Amino acid sequence: MRVPLSWLREYVDLPATATGRDVQEKLIAVGLEVETVERLGEGLKGPLVVGQVLTIEELEGFKKPIRFCTVDVGQANGTGEPQEIVCGARNFSVGDKVVVVLPGAVLPGDFKIAARKTYGKTSHGMICSGDELGMGDDGTHGIIVLPPEYEVGTDAIALLELVDEVLDIAVTPDRGYCLSMRGVARETATAYGLPLRDPALLDVPPPNSGGYPVQVSDPMGCDRFTARTVAGLEPEARTPLWLQRRLQKAGMRPVSLAVDITNYVMLELGQPLHAYDRTTVSGPIGVRRATPGEQLTTLDGTKRVLDAADLVITDDRGPIGLAGVMGGANTEIAAAAADPETGRLRGTTDVVIEAAHFDALSIARTARRHKLSSEAAKRFERGVDPEAASAAAQRAVDLLALLAGGTAEEGVTEIVTPSGPRTITVSADHPDKVAGVAYGRETVVRRLQQVGCDVYGQDELVVTVPSWRPDLSEPNDLAEEVIRLEGYENLPSTLPLPPAGRGLTERQRLHRRVGRALAGAGYVEALNYPFTGSHVLDQLGIEQDDPRRAAVTLVNPLSDEEPDLRTTLVPGLLGALRRNYGRGTHDLALFETGPVFRASGDEKPASRLVVDRRPTDDEIASLDASLPQQPRRAAVVLAGGREQAGWWGEGRPANWADAIEAGRTVAREAGVELIVRQDQHAPFHPGRCAALLALVDGEEILVGNAGELHPRVTKAMSLPERTCAMEIDLDRLERAGTGPLRAPKISAFPVATQDVALVVDDSVPAAEVESALREGAGELLESLRLFDVFTGEQLGAGKKSLAYALRFRAADRTLTAEEASAARDAAVATAVERTGAVLRG
């Protein structure tokens, strides 16, 4: 809604010094979204005057028509002599009054005017169009031709109201009354604490039997219909400049006097109107639902096939308009045109004015069904004041009589579906409880009265809602009105205090630690949509009987290609890696933590919970039973270089070992030491895939997998070669953990390091050897690290050497060489017994 400040001042006596910015701040404070304040005419400088065209000379020999004109501008040029001006426009003649800008003036956009030679003539100024003055086009696509009554030399800046400020307000759906000057003026008056001159307070004659006949067959769709008739309009009557300028500032283009008046009243009062040429209406006007297959050609020239749910305006011939959206072309107001025989102007002389109130939902659905957004539909679907219909019709009648010389007929038609006032019962202290501020009853009553409510009662208030506020329907709506008028900025900022001992659960802490640990290890978090499709699982090579195929399918997915909730985090991360790789980032390490969704088949249909009370424990349990399993997981993907080359070394590419180490990094945050074994698991390369295991109650369970993706997968998904990934189940890790992490005790005694090299078969995993060494070393072992793997002819075929560094330390003493050697020998003995290892050398 565009609101000219000069128009707003007609209804509210704003301070003379108040600028558009000042009004913007006030309106924002009471809850309106004022997006911008446009300063019309900024930088405009005269002389800009009314001139009269004296002569026109057509210049020949140019690619486009050029005219050399002399224009009388009175004494505005200081000499009184005619002004010589070159102009290319064709929509004016000798004797016409035009707008002339003289040398020395500056037009909007810092366009300076000076005498200049062009087309072989010297042009001393310019004859202006609406676009050049920042007014917008008036439909002529040419220069401005003024009515003949304006005197030559008159200041056109004041005449055309070129200097003004316009507030552009984004009206939210619940504030439809602000799609009018009346509504914005009411908010402005409240914000400034000033009285409002309500433009809807008019003397309206009562309905009688002499009005134009109207039949409403659908009182639910149309609960009020007012019809007034004006006869004897002068076809040659033009829209006055002041009305044209108000329409232009509000963002509408002038069309013709009758249409401009209906648009003006709609902007002023918020009530859409429609004017019918009475000579083209056949019989009574009706309001009904359309018959399927009926057709109507609307004012935009489009033939529309109507739906049975469309509300239409009819006469004896059928539909003549889409109710509340757009009128029909067969009853359009005829533009003034000269009779070819007599030369006299002919046009619409008798009109029927319609001011009706339609059901908001019906109008919204019709507008969307026909993809037809109009100013009228925009207002009806947000809520129009039903009590304003008769006042709007009267205002249009008065303007037609004043500006077009018409005569209002005495007949007044008004069909009303009876309805009582809407009342809300609310405690006087309810706004206090909502805001946490003690407003008091007097403030609550005063603020509700300012928005138009009638308030009765003491501790319990009975509030009658004004007709223009359909959005006020419950006590919280009234509380919001009080709070916004008292000022949101005055609400105290109070943070809730959690009870002592409460905070994040251990599960939440684990998830946060995992994210920090992966970020610290050089991974970047990528948050992906939780949606996927079966084609991605096909690309990953996942078998049909794999549990990851048990997906939850959405009824209304955002994309038909991704209708399922994800069962693994890897596809989303691979998609992010592919996008980044395609945009030139080749060294990538991404991670994500979040839930996956696994359908068990035992889920029950979800029941719809009530909203007027807290659900019972049984209802919540029933809702939980309808949800799929949602285990929380962590996953990483890697490609390109893991370590960059530089003066410190050559660097190295990411490989499957980095993916396994990412799993260990996650597990350490849960206090779990992973057991790593070879595995075969899609989408990993069968020879470069590891199973990540953990002990739960003495039993090994699978918590995740890591490794290098299969070449077929990287090719199918257009990924870099040797892309690696890891995914691990955080819930299983939590079960394998020993509870909250505790800081280790640090011994002040020195460490004793013993190295051992064991020769084993190639088929023996290093993890088994490591596990045996740990168990055999006993409590003195502080850490164990594999630092070398060797194969060669001297070891024999099918053999490998694993070299470990064992660190021993006691908490209460310095270990002797004999104690350290004994612990090492015990570790080696256990490894020999379990894995068949042989001590090398």
Side-chain angles (χ1 to χ4, degrees):
M1 177 68 187
R2 290 172 55 85
V3 178
L5 190 60
S6 59
W7 194 356
L8 186 62
R9 289 182 182 275
E10 280 199 8
Y11 313 119
V12 184
D13 289 327
L14 295 172
T17 57
T19 66
R21 295 289 185 190
D22 298 332
V23 177
Q24 178 187 30
E25 290 180 7
K26 288 286 189 179
L27 292 180
I28 289 175
V30 296
L32 290 184
E33 297 181 16
V34 185
E35 295 187 330
T36 59
V37 177
E38 183 180 352
R39 298 172 62 89
L40 301 182
E42 187 172 21
L44 177 63
K45 177 184 175 184
L48 186 71
V49 298
V50 175
Q52 185 171 24
V53 180
L54 300 178
T55 64
I56 298 178
E57 177 188 349
E58 302 287 346
L59 301 182
E60 304 292 340
F62 300 102
K63 293 182 180 179
K64 62 179 181 179
I66 299 297
R67 307 166 110 188
F68 180 66
C69 312
T70 59
V71 184
D72 180 12
V73 294
Q75 297 299 318
N77 57 7
T79 65
E81 296 294 325
Q83 200 78 4
E84 296 179 340
I85 299 175
V86 176
C87 183
R90 313 291 297 174
N91 65 315
F92 65 96
S93 306
V94 172
D96 282 346
K97 298 287 181 69
V98 293
V99 178
V100 180
V101 59
L102 301 177
V106 180
L107 295 185
D110 198 27
F111 181 26
K112 298 178 181 179
I113 304 299
R116 63 189 184 97
K117 190 168 184 178
T118 179
Y119 296 104
K121 300 285 186 179
T122 300
S123 181
H124 299 273
M126 188 168 69
I127 301 175
C128 297
S129 69
D131 284 335
E132 290 163 340
L133 297 179
M135 297 169 52
D137 180 47
D138 60 358
T140 64
H141 302 289
I143 60 95
I144 301 169
V145 178
L146 299 171
E149 62 265 21
Y150 295 110
E151 293 185 8
V152 169
T154 302
D155 181 12
I157 295 178
L159 177 67
L160 299 176
E161 302 177 17
L162 296 178
V163 179
D164 201 352
E165 293 183 275
V166 178
L167 286 73
D168 193 350
I169 302 176
V171 179
T172 52
D174 61 329
R175 307 287 285 277
Y177 65 96
C178 284
L179 286 171
S180 68
M181 293 300 302
R182 181 193 185 200
V184 176
R186 180 178 286 109
E187 292 295 319
T188 306
T190 301
Y192 275 92
L194 297 171
L196 169 70
R197 286 188 291 274
D198 191 345
L201 296 180
L202 301 174
D203 292 330
V204 180
N208 54 57
S209 58
Y212 197 92
V214 175
Q215 298 172 352
V216 177
S217 303
D218 191 337
M220 296 299 293
C222 175
D223 57 10
R224 184 180 293 263
F225 196 106
T226 300
R228 300 289 300 275
T229 305
V230 182
L233 302 181
E234 299 172 1
E236 66 275 11
R238 296 179 55 181
T239 304
L241 278 177
W242 66 266
L243 200 152
Q244 289 188 45
R245 290 297 295 132
R246 287 191 172 179
L247 291 177
Q248 288 172 334
K249 292 176 186 178
M252 303 189 77
R253 182 172 63 84
V255 179
S256 64
L257 180 56
V259 175
D260 292 345
I261 286 175
T262 59
N263 287 335
Y264 178 81
V265 175
M266 177 183 67
L267 291 172
E268 183 179 50
L269 301 181
Q271 170 66 54
L273 303 175
H274 191 71
Y276 301 93
D277 187 331
R278 187 168 67 170
T279 61
T280 62
V281 179
S282 175
I285 292 176
V287 183
R288 61 169 171 84
R289 298 288 172 176
T291 302
E294 277 189 307
Q295 295 185 355
L296 169 68
T297 302
T298 47
L299 288 174
D300 59 358
T302 302
K303 181 177 288 187
R304 304 181 185 277
V305 178
L306 304 181
D307 187 89
D310 291 334
L311 197 64
V312 293
I313 310 297
T314 65
D315 64 3
D316 288 346
R317 298 165 298 178
I320 59 174
L322 267 179
V325 181
M326 185 173 286
N330 54 352
T331 57
E332 183 179 6
I333 299 295
D339 188 297
E341 296 181 359
T342 64
R344 296 180 58 185
L345 284 177
R346 301 177 57 184
T348 297
T349 57
D350 299 344
V351 298
V352 178
I353 299 295
E354 166 208 307
H357 183 262
F358 302 110
D359 175 62
L361 187 59
S362 175
I363 300 305
R365 287 175 173 170
T366 295
R368 284 156 180 74
R369 187 180 300 116
H370 293 280
K371 297 181 175 61
L372 185 58
S373 178
S374 66
E375 292 293 328
K378 185 190 301 182
R379 285 162 173 79
F380 277 123
E381 65 188 27
R382 285 166 173 78
V384 169
D385 181 7
E387 301 294 334
S390 56
Q394 183 63 45
R395 178 70 164 140
V397 167
D398 293 342
L399 288 172
L400 285 170
L402 176 66
L403 302 177
T407 302
E409 295 188 356
E410 295 181 356
V412 177
T413 302
E414 188 165 347
I415 299 176
V416 180
T417 301
S419 62
R422 292 179 297 118
T423 60
I424 303 172
T425 301
V426 60
S427 300
D429 61 350
H430 182 67
D432 301 12
K433 295 177 181 177
V434 173
V437 177
Y439 292 125
R441 179 187 178 280
E442 290 185 4
T443 299
V444 171
V445 171
R446 175 170 56 85
R447 290 304 191 183
L448 291 179
Q449 289 174 340
Q450 284 180 332
V451 299
C453 297
D454 292 329
V455 185
Y456 305 95
Q458 293 298 318
D459 295 336
E460 198 78 10
L461 303 180
V462 178
V463 181
T464 302
V465 176
S467 57
W468 59 84
R469 294 299 301 273
D471 58 304
L472 302 182
S473 59
E474 59 175 80
N476 284 336
D477 296 330
L478 301 180
E480 181 185 2
E481 293 300 299
V482 175
I483 295 168
R484 74 177 180 89
L485 295 181
E486 283 294 306
Y488 291 118
E489 70 279 7
N490 296 323
L491 293 178
S493 299
T494 305
L495 294 176
L497 296 176
R502 301 285 180 87
L504 297 178
T505 65
E506 182 56 33
R507 183 171 185 262
Q508 291 169 326
R509 291 193 184 97
L510 171 61
H511 296 161
R512 291 196 178 187
R513 289 199 306 270
V514 166
R516 293 193 189 102
L518 289 174
Y523 292 85
V524 176
E525 186 171 17
L527 301 177
N528 299 295
Y529 285 118
F531 310 118
T532 187
S534 59
H535 66 284
V536 177
L537 301 181
D538 295 337
Q539 291 175 333
L540 292 176
I542 295 177
E543 300 293 337
Q544 293 298 323
D545 58 349
D546 193 289
R548 287 171 288 182
R549 290 278 184 175
V552 177
T553 302
L554 301 175
V555 176
N556 55 342
L558 294 178
S559 169
D560 291 338
E561 295 182 357
E562 296 180 330
D564 302 331
L565 291 176
R566 66 189 179 191
T567 57
T568 169
L569 298 180
V570 171
L573 282 173
L574 292 178
L577 185 141
R578 180 177 60 246
R579 284 192 297 274
N580 284 275
Y581 191 87
R583 293 171 184 173
T585 304
H586 294 162
D587 301 325
L588 292 159
L590 308 177
F591 85 92
E592 182 177 11
T593 61
V596 298
F597 307 87
R598 296 287 182 90
S600 65
D602 297 330
E603 293 85 7
K604 300 177 182 179
S607 57
R608 188 180 296 274
L609 299 182
V610 296
V611 297
D612 59 345
R613 59 172 173 80
R614 183 189 183 280
T616 64
D617 293 342
D618 290 341
E619 289 172 333
I620 295 176
S622 173
L623 183 64
D624 288 340
S626 67
L627 299 177
Q629 298 177 9
Q630 301 179 50
R632 194 167 178 87
R633 297 197 165 191
V636 305
V637 293
L638 305 98
R642 184 61 180 146
E643 293 180 4
Q644 298 297 317
W647 58 265
W648 53 84
E650 296 181 358
R652 66 174 183 84
N655 57 37
W656 56 269
D658 294 303
I660 294 173
E661 182 57 30
R664 287 195 173 105
T665 299
V666 173
R668 280 194 290 268
E669 297 302 319
V672 175
E673 199 66 40
L674 288 181
I675 301 169
V676 180
R677 289 201 174 92
Q678 188 175 3
D679 195 10
Q680 292 190 16
H681 184 75
F684 298 103
H685 190 295
R688 300 186 182 123
C689 173
L692 307 180
L693 307 165
L695 289 175
V696 176
D697 298 329
E699 180 182 353
E700 292 184 0
I701 64 169
L702 180 70
V703 295
N705 287 92
E708 182 183 308
L709 297 185
H710 197 288
R712 284 198 299 266
V713 174
T714 57
K715 183 178 181 180
M717 301 190 72
S718 302
L719 298 169
E721 293 182 357
R722 298 298 179 92
T723 297
C724 301
M726 181 279 300
E727 185 171 19
I728 196 165
D729 192 315
L730 296 180
D731 294 338
R732 291 186 179 182
L733 275 182
E734 187 178 10
R735 289 186 2 233
T738 56
L741 291 180
R742 299 186 180 279
K745 293 181 180 180
I746 300 175
S747 174
F749 295 95
V751 67
T753 302
Q754 296 277 348
D755 294 343
V756 296
L758 301 175
V759 178
V760 296
D761 292 337
D762 273 340
S763 60
V764 177
E768 287 190 15
V769 177
E770 181 177 328
S771 176
L773 289 172
R774 285 185 183 280
E775 185 174 338
E779 296 181 354
L780 293 179
L781 182 66
E782 182 178 84
S783 68
L784 173 66
R785 180 174 63 89
L786 175 66
F787 66 86
D788 184 53
V789 177
F790 174 76
T791 58
E793 294 180 359
Q794 58 269 48
L795 296 180
K799 298 291 185 179
K800 62 183 176 182
S801 172
L802 304 177
Y804 292 90
L806 291 78
R807 292 167 58 92
F808 299 98
R809 194 191 317 250
D812 56 351
R813 67 189 187 280
T814 299
L815 293 177
T816 64
E818 290 76 12
E819 287 177 312
S821 297
R824 180 203 61 189
D825 293 343
V828 171
T830 303
V832 169
E833 179 183 351
R834 288 195 179 178
T835 66
V838 176
L839 188 64
R840 185 179 174 187

